[in-house]
Amino acid sequence: TEERNLEMIRNMALVVMRYATMVAIALSSPIVLAQVTSDRVVDPDTIAPTESTTVTVTVDVDESNRPNAAIVVEVLPAGWTPTNGSPAPSSFNSGSGEARWLLGGQVQLVDTVITYTLNPPVAVPDGIYDINGDVRFSSNGNPTTVPSTGEMDIEVETNLLANSLRALAMDAVQA
């Protein structure tokens, strides 16, 4: 047990050293406020395998320091496809699952709401599937990437309808 205690002390010391290093780096780095941010809502966030869901990405632009253009990137689960985009994606790579929306450029970049239907592949197994994304733009000539916030996953549940009906029945019995 003495070896185990020493190992735990060493591991704790490593954690403290890593934390101290991260704090030192954070304090020495200039604070950069994002000029463009994006927030994702998935509704519903739990679906049956044959259902699709609606994804809404709200892009907010800082009007006091507005870049000319931005690229919103959504990285979808393998095999899933976006349809009915408003606006439509500028590109979609089914191999990487990456959908891109080019915003601004010829016209001034403004707050934008992107919506699309997300469709699972045929016979998708139950599970939790991640959606990642970010918004990319140039800030004072420097490429900047800001990760999207909000909902980051979708749950697929085969027995979704049966479970919902069971829960309603249980509520009715208890009432």
Side-chain angles (χ1 to χ4, degrees):
T1 62
E2 187 175 322
E3 287 181 27
R4 190 176 200 193
N5 289 341
L6 287 173
E7 182 68 23
M8 286 176 48
I9 291 170
R10 277 189 225 117
N11 287 339
M12 288 175 51
L14 284 172
V15 169
V16 169
M17 288 178 15
R18 287 182 185 144
Y19 181 74
T21 301
M22 289 187 308
V23 169
I25 290 170
L27 291 175
S28 66
S29 300
I31 295 174
V32 176
L33 298 176
Q35 294 170 285
V36 183
T37 59
S38 60
D39 185 69
R40 179 186 312 101
V41 174
V42 179
D43 187 34
D45 61 357
T46 301
I47 60 172
T50 57
E51 296 177 330
S52 54
T53 188
T54 299
V55 179
T56 303
V57 179
T58 303
V59 180
D60 289 314
V61 180
D62 178 358
E63 293 180 18
S64 67
N65 195 10
R66 175 188 319 261
N68 291 331
I71 302 171
V72 174
V73 178
E74 291 276 276
V75 181
L76 310 176
W80 293 58
T81 55
T83 58
N84 304 320
S86 178
S90 304
S91 66
F92 175 64
N93 181 324
S94 59
S96 67
E98 188 174 278
R100 291 177 176 233
W101 286 262
L102 306 178
L103 306 177
Q106 299 298 324
V107 296
Q108 189 174 32
L109 183 61
V110 295
D111 293 350
T112 304
V113 175
I114 297 168
T115 59
Y116 62 93
T117 302
L118 187 56
N119 306 290
V122 175
V124 64
D126 285 5
I128 296 176
Y129 296 85
D130 294 330
I131 302 176
N132 294 298
D134 56 57
V135 60
R136 302 169 187 180
F137 56 95
S138 179
S139 176
N140 298 321
N142 298 315
T144 303
T145 300
V146 178
S148 293
T149 59
E151 296 176 90
M152 303 292 180
D153 56 51
I154 300 168
E155 182 175 4
V156 174
E157 187 178 322
T158 300
N159 296 320
L160 180 62
L161 180 58
N163 289 341
S164 296
L165 291 174
R166 191 174 303 118
L168 286 172
M170 293 297 287
D171 288 345
V173 169
Q174 292 174 356

